[in-house]
Amino acid sequence: MADLYIDGGWRPARDGGTRQIRCPADGTLVTEVDEATASDTVAAIRAARHAFDHGDWPRTDAAERSDVLSRTAHLLRRDRAEIARAESLDTGKRLVESELDVDDVIGVFDYYATAAADETTRPVDLADPSKASRIQYEPIGVCGLITPWNYPLLQTSWKVAPALAAGNTFVLKPSELTPSSAIRLVALLAEAGLPAGVANLVLGAGPEAGAPLAEHPDVDLLSFTGGLHTGRLLMATAAATVKKVTLELGGKNPNVVFADADWQASVDNALTAVFLHSGQVCSAGTRLIVQADIADDFVTEVVERAGQIKLGGPFDPDARTGPLISAAHRDKVAAYVATGIAEGAVLRCGGGPPSDPELTDGFYYLPTVLDQCRTGMRVVQDESFGPVLTVERFRDEDEAIAFANDTIYGLAGGVWTSDAAKADRVASRLRHGTIWINDFHPYVPQAEWGGFKQSGIGRELGRSGLEEYREAKHVWTNLRPAPSRWFD
Ligand code: NAD
């Protein structure tokens, strides 16, 4: 079967291109998929445009769209095991993590199945009874959706579910490294009864298969999740056609631990914050900002436990985290650690690939702790997107907040303290889109997700995540039309 889905049919790439997908855990061939060029993407945009301008989907009532989303959630439940396996083979992440990801994806479809029917019009109160006015929420049009490789299906669901709930059509371009779960999702959308042309899928490299989604005048909205550099480029490109742009970019997320925090919980979660999925999480708590009074003991315990984390492939039941996505990415992480050491950071553990001979075919990198860091260092400022924790020490609340906000990013952060008033004060002053108090990482589909500052523009999830895919149209009715006599 061909892998590009355009106008309701599976098609090969026009120029016959293909790409091999290999598992990052051991380099084995997972699958070979069709590789689109820009002309395939333009064909997909045309199909989405036609389906939006002439098809029924944008004009279906909300209940019908809700049904399609609910049926998709049901089909995802049916195929959970197969989809999780595909996701793990593409990404190298543990199967149990992929299974949890699919559960989250189901939750997202269920949430937007309900939200689809939320307020589709809003009456506007007027003092004048001879006039009526309402706000009508309408789909934006054709959406270009570009997603990354770390949570391939999850990030895709955050875009696809609200885009459909609002009545849009779309062209999806997943990361070229991890296309398998997107192929399955699009097949399930078709099985759930989505009309031809509404969902379109192109696979391939960003600058070739993805670029038309930012350039083309027939795309009304570009929703991108990925790196800061790519986000800046796409935003600049999209400016030429003044399309709406939403960006979910990187993070350099502080995890602030006060001396009065619960010791066991804060040490344990300092590890989860940064080493989950080997640090390939946009909201990873890569900056441990710990109160000086407890810092030495705290870091010693984190280092001890980091050294015990077992690495392994997706199906190794003892493994607690997996490989990095590619050799190039591992090189990037290694260069980042070298920079930190050159800047004066002290390597406390990790700092290279594991010596286990069973792992030599995968792109593994040991959990790494860099101590004695200062906010100005590049290693504290730049996103590594790997299993690397930097440690900064603070004296008081003001200094903790200053350190935590000293970043161009603003995606997420954690605060650990047993003083509830202090926790709320700090949470209010942190310039990040999500703050966890005495926790790290949880998110729910009904709560907004997104970044302050250069972590992005707009919000995914929650009510705002639906609004991104809607236009608010004002309809004014004069109930007693009469000449205005302005020019008499
Ligand atoms: P990336 O920017 O390299 O690629 C992301 C997507 O953009 C891929 O599909 C890629 O093919 C495409 N792309 C690349 N160049 C393009 C171009 N010129 N035109 C069109 N498309 C192009 O990012 P990545 O390495 O896949 O993902 C890692 C990054 O994603 C990290 O910075 C991470 O923080 C970020 N991320 C953010 C969130 C969030 O919610 N804020 C979530 C996950 C990942």
Side-chain angles (χ1 to χ4, degrees), residues 124-133 476-481:
V124 176
D125 284 340
L126 298 176
D128 179 354
S130 70
K131 314 284 187 311
S133 160
W476 173 276
T477 308
N478 189 337
L479 300 168
R480 286 182 232 138

PDB file of all heavy atoms in Angstrom, residues 124-133 476-481:
ATOM      1  N   VAL A 124     -24.760  38.609  20.996  1.00  0.00           N
ATOM      2  CA  VAL A 124     -24.130  39.833  21.533  1.00  0.00           C
ATOM      3  C   VAL A 124     -25.244  40.710  22.099  1.00  0.00           C
ATOM      4  O   VAL A 124     -26.245  40.957  21.424  1.00  0.00           O
ATOM      5  CB  VAL A 124     -23.374  40.576  20.405  1.00  0.00           C
ATOM      6  CG1 VAL A 124     -22.794  41.882  20.928  1.00  0.00           C
ATOM      7  CG2 VAL A 124     -22.288  39.689  19.819  1.00  0.00           C
ATOM      8  N   ASP A 125     -25.099  41.131  23.343  1.00  0.00           N
ATOM      9  CA  ASP A 125     -26.123  41.981  23.975  1.00  0.00           C
ATOM     10  C   ASP A 125     -26.078  43.382  23.382  1.00  0.00           C
ATOM     11  O   ASP A 125     -25.013  44.002  23.337  1.00  0.00           O
ATOM     12  CB  ASP A 125     -25.857  42.096  25.486  1.00  0.00           C
ATOM     13  CG  ASP A 125     -26.269  40.824  26.193  1.00  0.00           C
ATOM     14  OD1 ASP A 125     -27.066  40.068  25.597  1.00  0.00           O
ATOM     15  OD2 ASP A 125     -25.781  40.583  27.306  1.00  0.00           O
ATOM     16  N   LEU A 126     -27.247  43.863  22.929  1.00  0.00           N
ATOM     17  CA  LEU A 126     -27.322  45.221  22.388  1.00  0.00           C
ATOM     18  C   LEU A 126     -28.390  45.993  23.156  1.00  0.00           C
ATOM     19  O   LEU A 126     -29.416  45.423  23.550  1.00  0.00           O
ATOM     20  CB  LEU A 126     -27.717  45.193  20.909  1.00  0.00           C
ATOM     21  CG  LEU A 126     -26.774  44.483  19.940  1.00  0.00           C
ATOM     22  CD1 LEU A 126     -27.396  44.473  18.557  1.00  0.00           C
ATOM     23  CD2 LEU A 126     -25.419  45.176  19.895  1.00  0.00           C
ATOM     24  N   ALA A 127     -28.163  47.296  23.302  1.00  0.00           N
ATOM     25  CA  ALA A 127     -29.160  48.117  23.976  1.00  0.00           C
ATOM     26  C   ALA A 127     -30.347  48.370  23.040  1.00  0.00           C
ATOM     27  O   ALA A 127     -31.462  48.618  23.480  1.00  0.00           O
ATOM     28  CB  ALA A 127     -28.525  49.434  24.412  1.00  0.00           C
ATOM     29  N   ASP A 128     -30.133  48.279  21.743  1.00  0.00           N
ATOM     30  CA  ASP A 128     -31.138  48.637  20.732  1.00  0.00           C
ATOM     31  C   ASP A 128     -31.912  47.385  20.289  1.00  0.00           C
ATOM     32  O   ASP A 128     -31.360  46.513  19.624  1.00  0.00           O
ATOM     33  CB  ASP A 128     -30.379  49.261  19.553  1.00  0.00           C
ATOM     34  CG  ASP A 128     -31.305  49.656  18.419  1.00  0.00           C
ATOM     35  OD1 ASP A 128     -32.517  49.340  18.503  1.00  0.00           O
ATOM     36  OD2 ASP A 128     -30.806  50.255  17.455  1.00  0.00           O
ATOM     37  N   PRO A 129     -33.210  47.282  20.624  1.00  0.00           N
ATOM     38  CA  PRO A 129     -33.971  46.075  20.270  1.00  0.00           C
ATOM     39  C   PRO A 129     -34.264  45.957  18.773  1.00  0.00           C
ATOM     40  O   PRO A 129     -34.720  44.909  18.317  1.00  0.00           O
ATOM     41  CB  PRO A 129     -35.277  46.234  21.070  1.00  0.00           C
ATOM     42  CG  PRO A 129     -35.407  47.680  21.339  1.00  0.00           C
ATOM     43  CD  PRO A 129     -34.015  48.259  21.371  1.00  0.00           C
ATOM     44  N   SER A 130     -33.985  47.009  18.011  1.00  0.00           N
ATOM     45  CA  SER A 130     -34.246  46.910  16.571  1.00  0.00           C
ATOM     46  C   SER A 130     -33.088  46.243  15.824  1.00  0.00           C
ATOM     47  O   SER A 130     -33.126  46.088  14.618  1.00  0.00           O
ATOM     48  CB  SER A 130     -34.491  48.305  15.988  1.00  0.00           C
ATOM     49  OG  SER A 130     -33.281  49.041  16.000  1.00  0.00           O
ATOM     50  N   LYS A 131     -32.057  45.884  16.542  1.00  0.00           N
ATOM     51  CA  LYS A 131     -30.905  45.229  15.927  1.00  0.00           C
ATOM     52  C   LYS A 131     -30.643  43.898  16.641  1.00  0.00           C
ATOM     53  O   LYS A 131     -30.959  43.753  17.821  1.00  0.00           O
ATOM     54  CB  LYS A 131     -29.637  46.099  16.042  1.00  0.00           C
ATOM     55  CG  LYS A 131     -29.809  47.557  15.689  1.00  0.00           C
ATOM     56  CD  LYS A 131     -29.884  47.748  14.199  1.00  0.00           C
ATOM     57  CE  LYS A 131     -29.880  49.218  13.779  1.00  0.00           C
ATOM     58  NZ  LYS A 131     -30.810  50.110  14.459  1.00  0.00           N
ATOM     59  N   ALA A 132     -30.050  42.972  15.919  1.00  0.00           N
ATOM     60  CA  ALA A 132     -29.611  41.708  16.546  1.00  0.00           C
ATOM     61  C   ALA A 132     -28.176  41.465  16.120  1.00  0.00           C
ATOM     62  O   ALA A 132     -27.757  41.870  15.024  1.00  0.00           O
ATOM     63  CB  ALA A 132     -30.488  40.548  16.107  1.00  0.00           C
ATOM     64  N   SER A 133     -27.444  40.831  16.990  1.00  0.00           N
ATOM     65  CA  SER A 133     -26.022  40.637  16.689  1.00  0.00           C
ATOM     66  C   SER A 133     -25.573  39.327  17.308  1.00  0.00           C
ATOM     67  O   SER A 133     -25.987  38.971  18.413  1.00  0.00           O
ATOM     68  CB  SER A 133     -25.266  41.830  17.272  1.00  0.00           C
ATOM     69  OG  SER A 133     -23.921  41.531  17.442  1.00  0.00           O
ATOM     70  N   TRP A 476     -24.447  40.865  11.969  1.00  0.00           N
ATOM     71  CA  TRP A 476     -25.284  41.981  12.472  1.00  0.00           C
ATOM     72  C   TRP A 476     -26.565  42.011  11.641  1.00  0.00           C
ATOM     73  O   TRP A 476     -26.517  41.981  10.422  1.00  0.00           O
ATOM     74  CB  TRP A 476     -24.496  43.284  12.295  1.00  0.00           C
ATOM     75  CG  TRP A 476     -25.234  44.545  12.592  1.00  0.00           C
ATOM     76  CD1 TRP A 476     -26.065  45.230  11.744  1.00  0.00           C
ATOM     77  CD2 TRP A 476     -25.201  45.275  13.808  1.00  0.00           C
ATOM     78  NE1 TRP A 476     -26.538  46.334  12.360  1.00  0.00           N
ATOM     79  CE2 TRP A 476     -26.039  46.410  13.630  1.00  0.00           C
ATOM     80  CE3 TRP A 476     -24.553  45.105  15.023  1.00  0.00           C
ATOM     81  CZ2 TRP A 476     -26.232  47.350  14.633  1.00  0.00           C
ATOM     82  CZ3 TRP A 476     -24.746  46.033  16.026  1.00  0.00           C
ATOM     83  CH2 TRP A 476     -25.582  47.151  15.835  1.00  0.00           C
ATOM     84  N   THR A 477     -27.718  42.074  12.284  1.00  0.00           N
ATOM     85  CA  THR A 477     -28.991  42.144  11.558  1.00  0.00           C
ATOM     86  C   THR A 477     -29.758  43.370  12.016  1.00  0.00           C
ATOM     87  O   THR A 477     -29.975  43.554  13.224  1.00  0.00           O
ATOM     88  CB  THR A 477     -29.864  40.895  11.844  1.00  0.00           C
ATOM     89  OG1 THR A 477     -29.080  39.740  11.597  1.00  0.00           O
ATOM     90  CG2 THR A 477     -31.095  40.873  10.947  1.00  0.00           C
ATOM     91  N   ASN A 478     -30.158  44.157  11.023  1.00  0.00           N
ATOM     92  CA  ASN A 478     -31.035  45.283  11.339  1.00  0.00           C
ATOM     93  C   ASN A 478     -32.473  44.774  11.181  1.00  0.00           C
ATOM     94  O   ASN A 478     -32.900  44.430  10.079  1.00  0.00           O
ATOM     95  CB  ASN A 478     -30.736  46.443  10.380  1.00  0.00           C
ATOM     96  CG  ASN A 478     -31.449  47.697  10.797  1.00  0.00           C
ATOM     97  OD1 ASN A 478     -32.467  47.649  11.498  1.00  0.00           O
ATOM     98  ND2 ASN A 478     -30.919  48.828  10.363  1.00  0.00           N
ATOM     99  N   LEU A 479     -33.223  44.696  12.272  1.00  0.00           N
ATOM    100  CA  LEU A 479     -34.567  44.124  12.234  1.00  0.00           C
ATOM    101  C   LEU A 479     -35.594  45.105  11.670  1.00  0.00           C
ATOM    102  O   LEU A 479     -36.682  44.721  11.269  1.00  0.00           O
ATOM    103  CB  LEU A 479     -34.983  43.686  13.645  1.00  0.00           C
ATOM    104  CG  LEU A 479     -34.047  42.628  14.274  1.00  0.00           C
ATOM    105  CD1 LEU A 479     -34.332  42.459  15.754  1.00  0.00           C
ATOM    106  CD2 LEU A 479     -34.192  41.293  13.556  1.00  0.00           C
ATOM    107  N   ARG A 480     -35.232  46.379  11.666  1.00  0.00           N
ATOM    108  CA  ARG A 480     -36.142  47.385  11.084  1.00  0.00           C
ATOM    109  C   ARG A 480     -35.336  48.297  10.160  1.00  0.00           C
ATOM    110  O   ARG A 480     -35.001  49.437  10.512  1.00  0.00           O
ATOM    111  CB  ARG A 480     -36.792  48.217  12.198  1.00  0.00           C
ATOM    112  CG  ARG A 480     -37.859  47.438  12.950  1.00  0.00           C
ATOM    113  CD  ARG A 480     -38.523  48.287  14.018  1.00  0.00           C
ATOM    114  NE  ARG A 480     -38.490  47.588  15.292  1.00  0.00           N
ATOM    115  CZ  ARG A 480     -38.220  48.147  16.461  1.00  0.00           C
ATOM    116  NH1 ARG A 480     -37.920  49.418  16.522  1.00  0.00           N
ATOM    117  NH2 ARG A 480     -38.217  47.435  17.567  1.00  0.00           N
ATOM    118  N   PRO A 481     -34.975  47.761   8.979  1.00  0.00           N
ATOM    119  CA  PRO A 481     -34.105  48.555   8.096  1.00  0.00           C
ATOM    120  C   PRO A 481     -34.779  49.866   7.672  1.00  0.00           C
ATOM    121  O   PRO A 481     -35.982  49.891   7.425  1.00  0.00           O
ATOM    122  CB  PRO A 481     -33.872  47.636   6.888  1.00  0.00           C
ATOM    123  CG  PRO A 481     -34.791  46.476   7.043  1.00  0.00           C
ATOM    124  CD  PRO A 481     -35.358  46.470   8.416  1.00  0.00           C
TER     125      PRO A 481
END
